[in-house]
Amino acid sequence: MVFLQQLINGLQLGSIYALIALGYSMVYGIILLLNFAHGDIIMVGGYIVLLIIAAGISPAVAIAACIIGCIVLACVIEKVAYTPLRSAPRISLLITAIGVSFFLENVAQLLWGADPRVFPATRIIPATSYQIGRLTISLTTIVTLVVAIAAMVVLMLLVQKSKMGKAMRAVSEDMGAAQLMGINLNRIITFTFAVGACLAAIGAILYCCKYPQVKPTTGYILGIKAFVAAVLGGIGSIPGAVLGGIAIGLAEVAVNALGYSTWTDAVVFVILIIVLLVKPTGFMGASMNEKV
Amino acid sequence: MADTILKVEGINVYYGNIHAIKDVSFEVKEGEIVTLIGANGAGKSTVLKTISGMLRSKTGSIEFMGSSLMRMAPNNIVKNGIAHVPEGRRVFAHLTVEENLEMGAYTQPRSGIRDDMEQVFSRFERLRERRRQIAGTLSGGEQQMLAMGRGLMSRPKLMMLDEPSMGLAPILVDQIFEIIKELNDNGTTILLVEQNAQMALSIADRGYVLETGYITMSGTGEELASSDDIRKAYLGA
């Protein structure tokens, strides 16, 4: 029973990581950028919800504003910071991403202070729990799992079936050939950032409902963990990001359940080191440079 | 005399400090097959990439059916009616044959895609059998057919083919050239880049010879094929 309980907790946390890891992986798949500002978008999303609800406006509006706000922010970052570096060396792009991350964290601190603020989790998902045998499942857990799965199914359909999704796959495979098909590269890249940010916004709300506080560095460690999840799954791979996220979530919960909760973060990074040493391409990663 | 569909005048293209294309001018008339021949590294592919907007010329002009391509984005150049089938085919290996063709039709309205795909399949029956297969599992010849079919999906007025015979068995090379002629008969103008000069000149109306970035000779296919210099340099005779 304890095992089952922990399994469910692990899936809940893991599906949040998966949503965030997807944004990392998709952006990497398209322009080979590790977008370290991705985690901080989550933090901004948290503040948006918090501030709008604090202003007495309905939670539904707050959720919508969070999703739209994160998408707009990600697209602005892409246009202002990354687009001018399209033909620059990849390391310049990476350093810029880290810079954007620091920028967002410090602006948040300037605007909203360094102290953690309480996130109105119960205004979004009521604090109800269900008892099934000796198993206790909170409504938050159920909502998290359902929303995360729904978001991933929609993403899968989008990527597999829609014209934009197919173009995304084409661009990620061969950017030059995709351009020769008449695919507008800028549009696909912006679209990818937008989709990633939308998933991050959903992840942000679910994460804050589980750990109801927001501070300027909320996105930092969360972003890094999602990055580890993306690498574990095979960076660039969409199913890989989902698997990696869930694996990291389960690992964290297992470490906690065994009573070593101070080691949680360390375990995540140990996983990263092991993956990089043993199988750098992750679960689903393509072998590099397939020649056709 | 047919109208000039593509007019390239005095283009100079650089890779960093390397001056790859030097004052190149040529033209393609509607309905023609024009070939650019030359050795490896002469700049043939660079010329095609400049026309399709992947590279930019520092000087001169490129005009296609009355509009300048010099600053046009690559996706708009496709929309204007130029299909570029790149060297090495570059099909999307992880996409299915059908998805590859859909990508070829990216600039086209959804309504016509089914019919166009049917046309491609009737020209390349092998592709029909393999429509749901991942393109990376196709043989080299099938991939070349897919690359050409994908190019056709954008309903091009001008099709630029970069080394379509590369790496193919002789019997497939004949087949590919047969198809190029057929496409031309059906009204598609062709700009063909080839190392296989003999084959290229045998189907071309006119040709240009590119040497280290310069155009050194031009003429009809027959003229070039019978020129002593060409025979020595490219035809191994």
Side-chain angles (χ1 to χ4, degrees):
Chain A
M1 245 347 154
V2 173
F3 177 75
L4 204 58
Q5 182 79 57
Q6 296 299 351
L7 184 69
I8 292 168
N9 290 345
L11 286 176
Q12 178 187 3
L13 187 58
S15 58
I16 295 170
Y17 287 153
L19 286 175
I20 302 164
L22 281 166
Y24 262 110
S25 227
M26 285 166 56
V27 165
Y28 185 85
I30 297 279
I31 55 170
L32 302 181
L33 161 70
L34 294 173
N35 181 17
F36 281 116
H38 189 59
D40 298 295
I41 288 183
I42 294 160
M43 173 271 295
V44 173
Y47 274 110
I48 292 176
V49 172
L50 185 155
L51 292 170
I52 289 181
I53 291 185
I57 301 167
S58 87
V61 174
I63 291 171
C66 169
I67 292 174
I68 295 167
C70 287
I71 290 175
V72 170
L73 178 62
C75 294
V76 168
I77 292 172
E78 192 260 320
K79 279 279 162 285
V80 173
Y82 303 150
T83 304
L85 296 173
R86 190 69 56 74
S87 52
R90 276 171 59 196
I91 192 78
S92 314
L93 210 55
L94 185 70
I95 292 167
T96 305
I98 295 171
V100 171
S101 169
F102 286 161
F103 176 78
L104 290 177
E105 283 169 27
N106 286 288
V107 167
Q109 191 170 337
L110 207 63
L111 288 177
W112 303 310
D115 294 332
R117 295 225 201 158
V118 176
F119 185 84
T122 51
R123 292 292 308 277
I124 292 173
I125 306 172
T128 320
S129 291
Y130 301 95
Q131 203 71 35
I132 304 167
R134 279 160 53 212
L135 220 57
T136 311
I137 302 176
S138 70
L139 186 59
T140 308
T141 305
I142 297 170
V143 170
T144 300
L145 289 173
V146 169
V147 170
I149 290 169
M152 288 172 205
V153 169
V154 170
L155 178 72
M156 266 322 182
L157 290 175
L158 182 81
V159 171
Q160 290 301 322
K161 301 287 178 209
S162 77
K163 186 176 169 183
M164 276 298 230
K166 288 172 190 175
M168 275 170 66
R169 285 189 284 145
V171 170
S172 102
E173 191 170 324
D174 187 334
M175 193 178 272
Q179 274 180 292
L180 294 181
M181 300 299 106
I183 292 171
N184 183 338
L185 213 55
N186 288 325
R187 192 175 298 169
I188 297 297
I189 293 173
T190 306
F191 181 70
T192 307
F193 273 87
V195 171
C198 177
L199 295 171
I202 295 170
I205 298 167
L206 297 174
Y207 183 80
C208 292
C209 284
K210 185 169 167 62
Y211 304 108
Q213 64 168 18
V214 186
K215 54 179 190 278
T217 52
T218 291
Y220 180 72
I221 195 77
L222 185 57
I224 299 276
K225 283 181 183 172
F227 162 67
V228 175
V231 172
L232 175 62
I235 191 118
S237 156
I238 287 176
V242 174
L243 283 181
I246 288 172
I248 294 290
L250 289 174
E252 269 195 23
V253 168
V255 172
N256 288 345
L258 294 172
Y260 299 102
S261 59
T262 46
W263 290 89
T264 317
D265 292 353
V267 166
V268 172
F269 294 112
V270 168
I271 292 176
L272 176 64
I273 292 167
I274 293 174
V275 173
L276 291 178
L277 284 176
V278 177
K279 195 169 187 298
T281 52
F283 294 146
M284 317 276 287
S287 53
M288 297 296 162
N289 297 327
E290 268 177 89
K291 268 276 182 218
V292 184
Chain B
M1 210 60 196
D3 292 337
T4 297
I5 185 169
L6 175 74
K7 194 172 177 65
V8 174
E9 239 172 21
I11 60 168
N12 281 281
V13 184
Y14 297 78
Y15 291 106
N17 288 326
I18 299 163
H19 193 175
I21 298 296
K22 299 155 187 160
D23 278 320
V24 163
S25 303
F26 65 95
E27 57 178 31
V28 179
K29 297 193 180 74
E30 195 163 4
E32 277 190 316
I33 298 182
V34 171
T35 183
L36 294 178
I37 57 175
N40 220 349
K44 307 181 298 290
S45 299
T46 307
V47 170
L48 295 196
K49 283 180 198 161
T50 309
I51 295 169
S52 57
M54 302 296 286
L55 295 170
R56 297 294 178 188
S57 169
K58 293 209 167 159
T59 58
S61 66
I62 304 173
E63 245 181 66
F64 178 68
M65 301 197 348
S67 43
S68 168
L69 304 185
M70 290 293 280
R71 263 175 252 294
M72 198 183 280
N75 56 309
N76 288 328
I77 291 175
V78 177
K79 231 178 267 178
N80 265 270
I82 296 183
H84 179 173
V85 180
E87 185 178 2
R89 337 199 201 291
R90 292 179 59 182
V91 297
F92 301 113
H94 299 297
L95 270 59
T96 64
V97 168
E98 266 184 346
E99 286 171 340
N100 266 277
L101 294 177
E102 280 173 45
M103 287 299 104
Y106 193 81
T107 54
Q108 298 301 305
R110 189 178 285 271
S111 54
I113 293 182
R114 281 289 131 195
D115 289 347
D116 288 356
M117 209 180 272
E118 195 46 48
Q119 277 199 18
V120 169
F121 285 146
S122 61
R123 195 179 296 281
F124 305 104
E125 282 295 334
R126 301 280 291 169
L127 296 182
R128 187 198 301 277
E129 298 161 25
R130 296 169 192 268
R131 58 199 297 170
R132 300 203 198 291
Q133 211 167 307
I134 298 292
T137 63
L138 301 180
S139 71
E142 289 163 352
Q143 287 191 11
Q144 183 59 46
M145 291 176 190
L146 178 56
M148 289 169 69
R150 191 177 63 172
L152 287 172
M153 292 295 290
S154 66
R155 301 190 173 181
K157 299 192 180 61
L158 171 67
M159 196 160 186
M160 304 196 293
L161 298 161
D162 196 346
E163 305 270 9
S165 75
M166 193 172 69
L168 299 184
I171 183 158
L172 281 171
V173 174
D174 289 346
Q175 223 175 17
I176 294 289
F177 276 86
E178 204 54 50
I179 292 165
I180 295 171
K181 258 194 295 188
E182 268 175 46
L183 292 177
N184 182 245
D185 289 341
N186 292 338
T188 311
T189 307
I190 305 276
L191 177 56
L192 173 66
V193 157
E194 260 299 341
Q195 280 201 60
N196 188 340
Q198 195 159 12
M199 283 300 271
L201 291 172
S202 74
I203 63 165
D205 296 301
R206 291 184 304 112
Y208 294 86
V209 180
L210 210 55
E211 272 176 52
T212 60
Y214 293 101
I215 287 186
T216 52
M217 222 184 295
S218 65
T220 66
E222 284 161 40
E223 279 166 10
L224 291 176
S226 58
S227 139
D228 282 343
D229 291 343
I230 299 284
R231 290 166 70 89
K232 277 199 200 101
Y234 304 109
L235 305 181

